[in-house]
Amino acid sequence: MRVAVRETFEPGLPPDDDHPYRSGVWRPQHREYDAWDMDVEGEIPDDLSGVYLRNTENPLFEPARRYHPFDGDGMLHSISFDNGEARYSNRFVRTEGFLAEQEAKQSLWAGITERPSDAVAEYGWGARSMLKDSASTDVIVHRGEALASFYQCGELYRLDPITLETLGQSKWGGHFPAEGVSAHPRIDEHTGELLFFNYHVHAPYMHYGVVSPEGELVTYVDVPLPGPRLPHDMMFTENWTILNDLPLFWDPEALESGYYSNTFRWDMASRFALIPRHGTTADIRWFEADPTFVLHWTNAYEDGDEVVLDGFFQHNPTARGIDRQKLHHKGFETLDMNVLQARAHRWRFNLTTGETSEESMSERCAEFPMVNGRHYGRRHRYSYNARCARGLFAFDGLIKHDLDTGTEELWEAPEGVFVSETPMAPRNGSAAEDDGYLITFASDVINDRSDALIFDAANVGDGPVAKVRLPERISSGTHSTWAPRGDL
Ligand SMILES: [Fe+2]
């Protein structure tokens, strides 16, 4: 392997850090590398062309009171493949907050579980404002650029998808919304459009928008809600965009006193807004369903009179019945998807009757679903899901879910190895939905190493067909994407 260290940052964290999300598989990384001619076990397929990108949380400074993993600074990892060869880079996203804290050599913003009054800075980002936009949650590719997003609402930071040089913030012709963009904008590969929403503590509480393939904001409409909400993700079909108003939100009484604590209302329905792709507020059709919280949607598509939506229903979103003394979550039990009981679920919204039907699709705990990128918004048969590890926010296996037959194929990671969200990379010239590869970064805490793993998407249970060694063990993190060479 040929490796060049490009920059090393001095962390202001305890050397013997035992915070559960700054140690073990979440140990942050503070060096930036470029690597080529990497050591490979197996063979990199020569019909795989494009780039796998993943975001991770890498804190550099001690917070005022309490660190939460979503507070960490965004670091992107990129591995590109062409003609059987790989190239790797990792870089911190040079956000405004990152640069200001580098200058100050300390935390300037309060984290999501701290009081806004703990912040040193007098401004900030997020639906609640006063947070640091760390661009550490998702990464997507639009118009050939990687866009890194923040878990609440913030900027979209533009990066070169291969070198990961930060190029600035998305401006959308001067119309980037003042309320920012939520963690999960979505790309329709068929039209080249970027669909997004944002949310805020002020009425109308939500907006929905569309950015054209030319990078112009062409649709931006109010989505009025009964009050402030905490939606995380959205989905779309060929003609409809699906937004949600779920009964998990900031406690209104606490909010009046300036505190942000979550409450879940079992007596309220989950509500779904279906809005035509370029519709208006008046076009929104609302549907109701059983109360839950959903972190991520798998996909959606149209089926006759119905709109079908797949996602991960939390059967225990409030972590009821958990003995907090017994578990080793150290106050982070609501980050354990086994505690929340996230299960694959399907909703059907009937456009003729206005009724919703729903059903559970699996008994397994999984999350961070992916489908073949060409199938977003169109009917899909397969989803590729991360199996949730017990006791912490991490993933210890991959599940290929065949929604037509209801069967699941599992690959279990070896002891001490954790994987990440795993997109599907169609083989060059492929036609079948699962004709291609699954790509993930794995971190092995026993052998202190990380590898990019490549699986045959048609035979996930057989394990990786290639393992590409990275220069250093990388931190666990959140979201990822695959962009084929033609999109770069
Ligand atoms: Fe997410």
Side-chain angles (χ1 to χ4, degrees):
M1 169 163 36
R2 286 195 296 146
V3 181
V5 176
R6 297 303 187 192
E7 196 155 350
T8 301
F9 293 84
E10 197 56 46
L13 296 169
D16 54 348
D17 205 345
D18 65 350
H19 188 290
Y21 290 96
R22 291 191 315 228
S23 60
V25 72
W26 281 85
R27 184 186 69 189
Q29 201 184 352
H30 300 126
R31 266 191 293 274
E32 297 181 332
Y33 300 91
D34 291 327
W36 314 262
D37 295 337
M38 302 157 78
D39 300 340
V40 181
E41 283 175 46
E43 212 160 303
I44 299 172
D46 58 10
D47 55 1
L48 175 66
S49 301
V51 64
Y52 171 58
L53 291 157
R54 200 183 105 193
N55 215 333
T56 55
E57 277 98 354
N58 286 259
L60 280 158
F61 300 109
E62 276 276 42
R65 295 169 192 273
R66 188 170 193 260
Y67 177 73
H68 185 283
F70 300 169
D71 298 333
D73 290 298
M75 175 187 277
L76 286 188
H77 302 260
S78 137
I79 188 162
S80 55
F81 302 99
D82 281 297
N83 305 312
E85 304 214 332
R87 178 199 189 282
Y88 167 83
S89 291
N90 70 311
R91 293 289 187 279
F92 280 106
V93 186
R94 268 59 172 181
T95 65
E96 272 184 51
F98 176 86
L99 295 173
E101 290 188 342
Q102 279 300 302
E103 188 86 7
K105 296 289 172 214
Q106 68 167 98
S107 286
L108 297 177
W109 283 272
I112 63 166
T113 53
E114 298 182 297
R115 295 181 205 141
S117 57
D118 288 336
V120 176
E122 291 173 351
Y123 65 101
W125 296 263
R128 68 171 231 195
S129 74
M130 294 309 292
L131 293 170
K132 176 173 64 173
D133 177 349
S134 51
S136 62
T137 301
D138 200 1
V139 55
I140 57 172
V141 170
H142 188 227
R143 305 179 74 243
E145 292 178 337
L147 302 176
S149 62
F150 178 44
Y151 99 97
Q152 274 197 7
C153 298
E155 308 288 347
L156 289 178
Y157 278 91
R158 302 160 44 231
L159 298 98
D160 181 295
I162 306 294
T163 67
L164 300 180
E165 179 191 355
T166 302
L167 303 172
Q169 301 167 347
S170 290
K171 297 296 179 196
W172 297 343
H175 298 289
F176 191 87
E179 297 85 355
V181 167
S182 86
H184 292 305
R186 293 279 181 178
I187 304 290
D188 184 345
E189 284 191 19
H190 293 266
T191 65
E193 290 168 306
L194 180 153
L195 317 179
F196 72 95
F197 70 99
N198 60 37
Y199 56 100
H200 207 271
V201 288
H202 303 299
Y205 305 109
M206 187 186 274
H207 296 94
Y208 158 66
V210 182
V211 177
S212 71
E214 292 75 37
E216 298 292 327
L217 181 66
V218 290
T219 296
Y220 193 64
V221 298
D222 291 357
V223 181
L225 302 180
R229 295 293 186 265
L230 282 167
H232 185 68
D233 195 7
M234 64 181 285
M235 198 37 81
F236 65 92
T237 70
E238 202 169 337
N239 295 293
W240 297 91
T241 296
I242 307 166
L243 305 168
N244 58 85
D245 165 9
L246 306 178
L248 178 97
F249 41 82
W250 286 307
D251 183 290
E253 276 181 28
L255 204 55
E256 277 187 19
S257 315
Y259 294 100
Y260 296 84
S261 59
N262 293 355
T263 183
F264 186 86
R265 292 280 302 274
W266 288 100
D267 60 327
M268 291 173 68
S270 295
R271 299 199 316 140
F272 296 86
L274 270 62
I275 180 166
R277 174 80 56 102
H278 296 282
T280 66
T281 304
D283 296 324
I284 297 174
R285 299 217 24 206
W286 286 98
F287 291 79
E288 292 197 350
D290 290 347
T292 187
F293 187 72
V294 176
L295 199 56
H296 299 116
W297 309 104
T298 307
N299 193 23
Y301 59 89
E302 293 161 29
D303 183 16
D305 288 346
E306 292 184 320
V307 168
V308 179
L309 173 67
D310 282 2
F312 281 81
F313 188 105
Q314 294 180 4
H315 292 263
N316 188 15
T318 54
R320 280 192 302 196
I322 300 302
D323 183 345
R324 288 174 168 79
Q325 303 307 314
K326 258 188 170 176
L327 296 173
H328 302 289
H329 295 100
K330 298 188 179 175
F332 290 104
E333 54 278 342
T334 54
L335 287 176
D336 181 348
M337 294 292 155
N338 289 283
V339 168
L340 304 180
Q341 297 172 21
R343 303 280 187 274
H345 199 82
R346 177 165 282 179
W347 293 258
R348 285 178 172 272
F349 307 113
N350 190 306
L351 295 163
T352 305
T353 65
E355 296 293 317
T356 307
S357 58
E358 56 186 305
E359 60 177 321
S360 184
M361 305 295 280
S362 173
E363 289 304 309
R364 277 213 173 95
C365 182
E367 244 285 359
F368 286 67
M370 285 286 188
V371 303
N372 178 323
R374 296 173 193 162
H375 287 260
Y376 279 110
R378 311 298 195 271
R379 192 183 189 108
H380 65 290
R381 175 171 176 179
Y382 304 108
S383 71
Y384 308 97
N385 313 320
R387 188 177 75 169
C388 305
R390 289 188 180 276
L392 82 167
F393 185 46
F395 307 103
D396 60 3
L398 301 176
I399 297 166
K400 178 184 180 182
H401 192 173
D402 181 335
L403 281 308
D404 283 6
T405 63
T407 54
E408 292 172 308
E409 188 181 351
L410 170 71
W411 174 79
E412 272 187 292
E415 174 80 26
V417 174
F418 297 90
V419 294
S420 55
E421 187 175 65
T422 304
M424 195 274 178
R427 189 191 310 275
N428 296 342
S430 77
E433 185 182 331
D434 64 347
D435 185 14
Y437 304 97
L438 303 184
I439 306 179
T440 197
F441 284 138
S443 287
D444 178 339
V445 296
I446 296 172
N447 298 299
D448 195 19
R449 60 182 262 190
S450 274
D451 297 279
L453 307 184
I454 304 171
F455 296 78
D456 176 353
N459 297 291
V460 176
D462 291 352
V465 296
K467 279 184 181 183
V468 186
R469 180 72 61 86
L470 306 188
E472 187 179 41
R473 172 150 71 89
I474 71 171
S475 172
S476 200
T478 48
H479 292 283
S480 70
T481 195
W482 168 259
R485 177 60 58 193
D487 288 359
L488 301 175

